[in-house]
Amino acid sequence: MKKTLGPTRCLAAAASAMTATLVGITLGLAQPARAAEVTQTADPAIAAAVRNITAAHVQADIDKLVSFGTRSTLSAQDPASIAAGRGIGAAREWLKSQFEAYSKECGGCLEVKTDEFVQPVGPRIPQPTTLTNVYAVLKGKDPEAAQRVVLVTGHYDSRRTDVLDPTGDAPGANDDASGAAVSLESARALSKLKFRATIIFLTVAGEEQGLNGSKHFAQMAKQAGWNIEAVLNDDIVGGDKSPGQDAKIVRVFSEGLPSAADEKQLRQIRGLGGESDSTSREVARYITEVGGAYSPGVKPLLVFSLDRYLRGGDHSAFNDQGYAAVRFTEYRENFNHQHQDLRTENGVEYGDTLKFVDFDYVARVARLNALTLAALASAPAPPAAVKVITTNLDNNTTLTWGASDGASGYEVVWRDTSAPNWEHVKSVGDTTTTTLDISKDNVIFAVRAVDKAGHRSLPVVPVPER
Ligand SMILES: [Zn+2]
């Protein structure tokens, strides 16, 4: 399926050409040669696997997570409470058992692991508290490519109005059992396939207390030198069924200036006009292309901002460690249904309960996530050391790059500096250098690697080489 990413400029050019003719003057507006549209190619095996993600499974997952009463990070995790099925300990054990069950179905293809640590006392942690992130690893089939990782995450902890209340009911159906369900469903569907790169399906604790689980996990990844290419964080993807919701749209937030950039890097970004080309933003654009290729029933609305006003999320913990990470959130949130004790006041219902969650919507968002993970994990490595040669002052653009593992060719993509998404693509074959008759001063370029089946890597924007 094809997708039009940037017709506006061509229509505008055509319109001005027409105006010029109408008044009988030829302004010599040369219509630029129409380059190919920037798309991803749908892979039938991936499409088939992702069709197994269903609203019924999503609903079963969210029902179960809500059934633990509270999943406050401060709630019970002793053996008796786990046996009784109440508190975050019971939720953790159930998540582990789900991942293990999926692994059994694929002949042990998933490595199910926990990242357990003690969070010291802090503003929202009254006493040292054991936190456990639960995750499953689907190792890439090729040993070298398996070093590359893509990751999906949602937080399984919940909260009440008082974030320090460890005992009262905190169902957290939308925030964020929905996101945990996206991780679970992605794992269940994608574990039926084998990928070039590694996929990690993560569920974290401690989000509501201060992103503690994701901070610990991201730091661990950084210290271990993990090459995580993309993090998809799903938080509040329940599609709250209040008026004004658009169940065909999911927002995708991405940072502009990378939070991990140092002064020198920030100077370079300013100098090159790179404010909208963080690796996180390239992931966001990639999600748009995947959505266009597979039509999962929900469209990503790219929001060029780290997060919503006054709010934060687990993706920023990964951004802080220098990883590309984006946040998926429903189109319109109902704040009466988040972080609220269950009650009715003046006829208004408060609380994050099952009745407000649109399970079909969560399934569509899960499909978009799984498709993105699968596309990235099937793709060759993004080209390394992409450079634009600036030895001479001229109106051409020469790009060079290093060969990518798994690539059979490369494509140059570009867009107007004011355009949100990549607009043009040119296949340049199996080479590591090319020269285009387009000025590097007028557009933003990037290079991406392609394999024989048409899987595309993330594009990489060049740095100048004198
Ligand atoms: Zn949340």
Side-chain angles (χ1 to χ4, degrees):
M1 213 165 296
K2 281 197 146 189
K3 179 160 176 16
T4 309
L5 282 169
T8 326
R9 192 173 63 144
C10 294
L11 289 177
S16 13
M18 219 191 297
T19 314
T21 312
L22 282 175
V23 295
I25 306 163
T26 302
L27 292 173
L29 289 173
Q31 185 91 2
R34 189 93 168 92
E37 290 163 351
V38 182
T39 54
Q40 298 286 329
T41 303
D43 175 330
I46 292 173
V50 168
R51 270 197 289 275
N52 291 316
I53 293 176
T54 65
H57 276 102
V58 163
Q59 180 166 6
D61 292 343
I62 298 177
D63 276 354
K64 188 67 188 179
L65 286 165
V66 168
S67 80
F68 300 116
T70 174
R71 304 185 310 278
S72 162
T73 297
L74 309 175
S75 66
Q77 43 182 313
D78 58 286
S81 304
I82 292 171
R86 187 169 178 94
I88 193 160
R92 171 193 80 206
E93 291 307 311
W94 177 77
L95 286 165
K96 230 164 44 184
S97 72
Q98 284 301 103
F99 283 132
E100 278 158 1
Y102 304 154
S103 188
K104 222 171 145 190
E105 284 167 25
C106 61
C109 73
L110 295 172
E111 225 180 304
V112 181
K113 304 181 94 167
T114 54
D115 162 34
E116 185 184 313
F117 62 100
V118 175
Q119 181 68 34
V121 171
R124 292 181 170 195
I125 305 276
Q127 56 200 29
T129 303
T130 299
L131 268 72
T132 308
N133 300 319
V134 183
Y135 62 108
V137 181
L138 180 60
K139 251 213 132 69
K141 61 184 172 187
D142 172 82
E144 192 189 333
Q147 302 299 314
R148 296 170 45 222
V149 176
V150 291
L151 183 150
V152 62
T153 184
H155 71 86
Y156 71 93
D157 61 310
S158 64
R159 63 169 285 182
R160 286 171 61 82
T161 304
D162 174 5
V163 73
L164 296 177
D165 181 346
T167 54
D169 280 344
N174 191 347
D175 186 11
D176 184 30
S178 66
V182 168
S183 263
L184 287 171
E185 275 296 88
S186 297
R188 195 177 62 78
L190 297 183
S191 54
K192 306 284 188 288
L193 299 177
K194 299 227 179 303
F195 297 94
R196 195 193 297 271
T198 295
I199 307 179
I200 295 179
F201 309 93
L202 174 63
T203 55
V204 297
E207 197 271 349
E208 303 290 7
Q209 312 308 118
L211 314 181
N212 310 113
S214 52
K215 280 181 187 165
H216 189 269
F217 193 93
Q219 278 164 9
M220 173 183 84
K222 179 76 181 294
Q223 276 158 18
W226 290 8
N227 173 20
I228 305 180
E229 275 177 17
V231 172
L232 312 182
N233 171 35
D234 288 79
D235 196 351
I236 311 177
V237 291
D240 184 281
K241 292 187 280 194
S242 299
Q245 186 61 277
D246 189 333
K248 298 286 176 209
I249 292 180
V250 63
R251 289 180 290 172
V252 177
F253 292 86
S254 59
E255 66 175 9
L257 293 178
S259 61
D262 60 26
E263 254 319 305
K264 187 178 164 221
Q265 290 164 323
L266 289 173
R267 254 201 316 278
Q268 183 171 54
I269 290 168
R270 275 194 291 271
L272 300 173
E275 292 88 348
S276 195
D277 282 282
S278 66
T279 52
S280 300
R281 199 144 290 171
E282 305 308 354
V283 171
R285 293 186 178 106
Y286 193 94
I287 293 165
T288 295
E289 293 167 16
V290 167
Y294 290 92
S295 302
V298 66
K299 257 184 103 143
L301 169 68
L302 303 196
V303 182
F304 284 1
S305 180
L306 172 62
D307 212 319
R308 300 99 75 231
Y309 277 100
L310 303 173
R311 307 291 292 273
D314 287 319
H315 57 308
S316 69
F318 287 91
N319 288 153
D320 288 347
Q321 299 302 323
Y323 291 121
V326 301
R327 174 190 185 126
F328 289 80
T329 298
E330 65 191 15
Y331 177 66
R332 187 182 167 94
E333 295 167 81
N334 185 329
F335 302 104
N336 294 339
H337 302 159
Q338 297 174 14
H339 304 184
Q340 295 282 351
D341 293 350
L342 304 174
R343 65 193 191 280
T344 301
E345 271 173 19
N346 304 320
V348 178
E349 277 186 279
Y350 292 86
D352 187 356
T353 58
L354 286 165
K355 67 191 265 196
F356 302 119
V357 174
D358 177 347
F359 303 108
D360 284 304
Y361 178 79
V362 183
R364 293 196 288 274
V365 173
R367 286 185 202 116
L368 178 58
N369 271 262
L371 290 165
T372 304
L373 295 167
L376 286 167
S378 302
V386 181
K387 297 195 169 116
V388 55
I389 307 302
T390 54
T391 326
N392 301 316
L393 285 176
D394 60 28
N395 287 305
N396 293 330
T397 301
T398 297
L399 298 161
T400 67
W401 57 90
S404 290
D405 174 44
S408 66
Y410 298 86
E411 291 175 342
V412 176
V413 294
W414 67 96
R415 65 177 205 275
D416 277 1
T417 60
S418 56
N421 288 315
W422 297 111
E423 296 177 308
H424 308 283
V425 61
K426 184 171 186 233
S427 175
V428 296
D430 192 5
T431 175
T432 55
T433 181
T434 191
T435 298
L436 288 93
D437 186 19
I438 302 169
S439 171
K440 52 196 158 294
D441 299 316
N442 295 354
V443 299
I444 294 172
F445 283 108
V447 182
R448 63 184 187 179
V450 191
D451 75 1
K452 285 198 183 74
H455 302 115
R456 266 91 175 173
S457 75
L458 286 166
V460 180
V461 173
V463 294
E465 169 96 333
R466 263 187 267 269

